[in-house]
Amino acid sequence: METVEITCPDQVFLDKLDRELKIEPKDWMPEPYRQTLIRQISQHAHSEIVGMLPEGNWITRAPSLKRKAILLAKVQDEAGHGLYLYAAAETLGISREKMYQQLHNGKAKYSSIFNYPTLSWADIGAIGWLVDGAAIMNQVPLCRNSYGPYARAMVRICKEESFHQRQGFEILLTLSRGTPQQRAMAQDAVNRWWWPSMMMFGPPDASSPHTQQSMRWKIKRFTNDELRQKFVDICAEQATILGFSLPDPLLKWNATTGHFDFGPINWDEFNQVINGNGPCNKERLDARRKAWDDGEWVREAAEAHAAKQKTKAAAA
Ligand SMILES: [Fe+2]
Ligand SMILES: [Fe+2]
């Protein structure tokens, strides 16, 4: 008797992952994989869009026309990142309206870093260097994640993030060669952004419930602690080039491990900010809700236009 091999869809899915093939929108995928991706990609999209707010705050106050043009381009890039990512999430079966709704009603999270204020021009440098630097560290491995639309969006995003990081570094380098006041302003910005940037990699591996599953699904390629360590190693050296110190008395090269040791992270602060109690949470959500309400007429006009086009096409 001939035997017919029956392959269950789950097996096909896992086999694709093992062979480093991409999962595409029309492929079968386990529901928890789909839900994890929707959560992660939409949070990522929200972070890009909310991330425009602290920096947008400095566009009108940038110190020169050149600085203004660069910052404007960067903030526009972030809007583009948000749009690619919302589009990638939509391929998983969630609508953009639903994602916005989840952001506006506080159900969806976004990166806690954007709930801190930008107090001086040097903050724009510190954000580019540290925040975009941490984003690159997190996002480069995502270019190889198993979900096709997400991975492809990340390739372009990462190219732009690297420009963001360099423009931030260059702002700080310029300030580091400036007056004592400019140096002090830049050091103050680095001091304020260092720890929140360290928190961008998420909780320590021991208390990160999704890490193992996400690694098996090849959504995640490195753990939070691995990425954080890479970030510390790079920043500790770059800080020396800039001539600024990082606000961590325990930061020290460890010849045995080949890495920099660093001090404890204040996870209580992280949890407070994640749960809505950071310095700017309310302001950020209010700004996003206002943008949605103010855009009502645009959505209405677009719908009316689409309906007109449809009628015209039907009549032709
Ligand atoms: Fe971005
Ligand atoms: Fe960026």
Side-chain angles (χ1 to χ4, degrees):
M1 200 177 87
E2 203 181 316
T3 54
V4 180
E5 202 179 310
I6 299 171
T7 329
C8 66
D10 202 41
Q11 202 47 54
V12 175
F13 170 79
L14 290 173
D15 188 51
K16 271 193 197 152
L17 293 185
D18 290 341
R19 290 159 55 211
E20 294 293 332
L21 295 175
K22 296 286 178 230
I23 307 299
E24 295 297 337
K26 288 195 171 125
D27 294 345
W28 184 89
M29 62 188 84
E31 201 43 33
Y33 174 83
R34 181 192 302 276
Q35 292 308 328
T36 298
L37 278 169
I38 289 179
R39 196 189 66 239
Q40 181 171 332
I41 302 173
S42 63
Q43 276 182 15
H44 192 163
H46 298 327
S47 304
E48 301 284 355
I49 300 293
V50 176
M52 295 167 73
L53 298 168
E55 288 184 287
N57 187 31
W58 278 90
I59 291 174
T60 54
R61 291 178 287 164
S64 70
L65 182 60
K66 185 180 140 207
R67 294 290 184 201
K68 192 190 287 268
I70 296 172
L71 183 57
L72 197 58
K74 183 196 186 256
V75 173
Q76 283 177 340
D77 281 353
E78 306 298 7
H81 298 175
L83 296 180
Y84 310 150
L85 290 164
Y86 282 125
E90 280 178 307
T91 65
L92 291 156
I94 183 166
S95 70
R96 200 169 292 209
E97 283 68 24
K98 179 99 191 271
M99 288 185 270
Y100 285 146
Q101 219 178 52
Q102 290 173 344
L103 174 67
H104 298 155
N105 67 20
K107 197 176 159 245
K109 301 263 186 271
Y110 56 85
S111 182
S112 60
I113 193 87
F114 300 120
N115 291 313
Y116 291 86
T118 39
L119 304 180
S120 75
W121 168 251
D123 285 36
I124 300 305
I127 288 179
W129 179 43
L130 297 172
V131 177
D132 291 276
I136 293 173
M137 205 59 79
N138 262 324
Q139 294 176 4
V140 166
L142 286 174
C143 298
R144 294 189 295 120
N145 88 82
S146 60
Y147 187 57
Y150 191 23
R152 290 188 287 272
M154 291 317 300
V155 172
R156 179 150 176 196
I157 290 177
C158 283
K159 285 186 186 153
E160 291 172 347
E161 290 304 348
S162 118
F163 149 65
H164 299 171
Q165 196 267 354
R166 286 167 65 172
Q167 65 88 37
F169 186 87
E170 200 264 337
I171 290 175
L172 290 182
L173 192 62
T174 306
L175 291 173
S176 79
R177 292 169 180 165
T179 63
Q181 287 89 337
Q182 285 171 321
R183 287 188 52 78
M185 178 173 81
Q187 180 65 63
D188 173 63
V190 170
N191 291 349
R192 281 181 291 104
W193 288 94
W194 173 248
W195 289 110
S197 301
M198 290 281 277
M199 295 173 197
M200 282 176 72
F201 298 93
D205 295 346
S207 43
S208 172
H210 305 300
T211 293
Q212 280 319 313
Q213 182 62 79
S214 287
M215 302 258 301
R216 173 67 190 99
W217 280 335
K218 300 200 172 169
I219 296 173
K220 229 178 154 127
R221 299 283 180 165
F222 298 97
T223 70
N224 296 353
D225 287 335
E226 285 168 346
L227 292 168
R228 189 166 13 245
Q229 184 66 60
K230 281 188 189 202
F231 176 71
V232 174
D233 291 346
I234 288 182
C235 291
E237 295 200 342
Q238 291 184 347
T240 319
I241 300 170
L242 288 170
F244 294 124
S245 60
L246 294 173
D248 180 355
L250 298 177
L251 185 77
K252 199 168 164 255
W253 175 250
N254 181 332
T256 318
T257 60
H259 294 289
F260 280 86
D261 290 337
F262 54 91
I265 294 171
N266 183 349
W267 292 113
D268 184 47
E269 175 182 323
F270 175 76
N271 290 326
Q272 284 291 329
V273 179
I274 281 281
N275 290 321
N277 305 317
C280 300
N281 294 58
K282 188 178 174 310
E283 190 181 325
R284 301 292 182 240
L285 273 190
D286 285 350
R288 290 311 315 160
R289 288 192 198 110
K290 182 175 183 306
W292 174 259
D293 292 342
D294 290 352
E296 180 72 44
W297 71 271
V298 180
R299 292 189 296 277
E300 278 172 9
E303 262 170 38
H305 179 71
K308 232 188 233 174
Q309 296 299 98
K310 216 171 153 188
T311 325
K312 244 194 219 166

